[in-house]
Amino acid sequence: MNRAFYERGVVEVAQDLVGCVLRHRETAGVIVETEAYHESEPACHAHVGLTGRTHILFGPPARAYVYRSYGIHALFNAVTEAEGVGAAVLIRALEPLEGLDLMRERRGVPRTEDLCNGPGKLTQALDIELDLNGSDLLGGPIAIEPPRPGWESPELLVGPRIGITKAAELPWRFCAAGSRSVSRPWPKGLRDTLAPRV
DNA sequence: CATGGGATTGACT
DNA sequence: GTCAATCCCATGC
């Protein structure tokens, strides 16, 4: 992906990232679940303004924003929108593609569908830690590659974001329809489909 | 400087 | 279904 891809609106980027390939060295997977976060809504870390934690979010697009969640897990985001605007896409789940044995070793679980079906799990499987916060997604150790054949325009499911208490009504979670690697099942009745993208 | 709250996960009832 | 682990950081005194 190029810089212009990330410089667009965060919701649009979140949708387009489903089907792309997230890679860190020998391990890679197809992105099947994303969430958009924008400084204008309180669930986004950037909502509090420019701080030591959030300055990456306000920096130039196409950078990694990695932070520690619940003291245990590293969560990976792709910074989007113009420099000066705090926005990022949280990657919530992958379908494992390359380096599965390495992933199993790091995760300690055998089942392929358990390797990357959660935001904290995929960072463990791909060995993405806090030292990669701020790293460049264009030419750095972490890269996001265009969709492989068959993943060019997956049908998307849309719903509310997971695990937040503020701005929980926004339908900013996007998921590849039919993937068995999503992090959590879709609440009945909240599910809605989005037409395949062109 | 002390405190409180998570964009979660895995183990357990 | 419940719950604790564990640490970074923003906030408030």
Side-chain angles (χ1 to χ4, degrees):
Chain A
M1 307 285 90
N2 54 37
R3 182 185 170 92
F5 176 88
Y6 297 97
E7 199 147 26
R8 300 172 299 149
V10 65
V11 173
E12 191 177 358
V13 177
Q15 294 174 178
D16 289 351
L17 280 176
V18 176
C20 293
V21 173
L22 176 65
R23 166 182 304 281
H24 181 216
R25 304 188 187 282
E26 318 304 315
T27 45
V30 179
I31 297 170
V32 293
E33 183 180 353
T34 64
E35 286 177 359
Y37 287 86
H38 188 273
E39 60 173 272
S40 62
E41 43 90 12
C44 182
H45 291 169
H47 189 67
V48 298
L50 194 55
T51 67
R53 182 194 204 181
T54 64
H55 76 275
I56 297 292
L57 288 168
F58 288 93
R63 300 282 248 280
Y65 171 56
V66 187
Y67 74 98
R68 180 139 343 268
S69 173
Y70 291 93
I72 305 172
H73 309 284
L75 269 56
F76 170 81
N77 300 249
V79 175
T80 69
E81 306 218 4
E83 186 165 2
V85 180
V89 176
L90 170 69
I91 308 300
R92 287 194 57 90
L94 310 174
E95 284 199 2
L97 191 65
E98 292 180 27
L100 298 229
D101 290 338
L102 205 44
M103 292 184 185
R104 289 194 183 91
E105 200 174 300
R106 291 166 178 164
R107 291 272 300 119
V109 297
R111 292 176 44 189
T112 301
E113 55 268 41
D114 290 333
L115 294 177
C116 300
N117 60 337
K121 298 178 185 180
L122 69 92
T123 55
Q124 186 183 18
L126 269 61
D127 191 29
I128 294 174
E129 253 302 329
L130 297 199
D131 57 331
L132 291 169
N133 187 33
S135 72
D136 193 356
L137 299 178
L138 312 173
I142 305 175
I144 297 180
E145 304 166 354
R148 306 291 173 87
W151 281 101
E152 291 92 346
S153 53
E155 184 184 351
L156 296 184
L157 298 180
V158 183
R161 294 173 295 180
I162 302 295
I164 57 172
T165 56
K166 294 169 278 193
E169 74 285 356
L170 290 174
W172 282 6
R173 180 187 182 215
F174 305 99
C175 179
S179 175
R180 301 205 292 103
S181 294
V182 299
S183 67
R184 300 177 57 164
W186 289 82
K188 216 174 179 179
L190 290 175
R191 168 191 302 209
D192 199 8
T193 59
L194 198 68
R197 288 162 291 135
V198 293

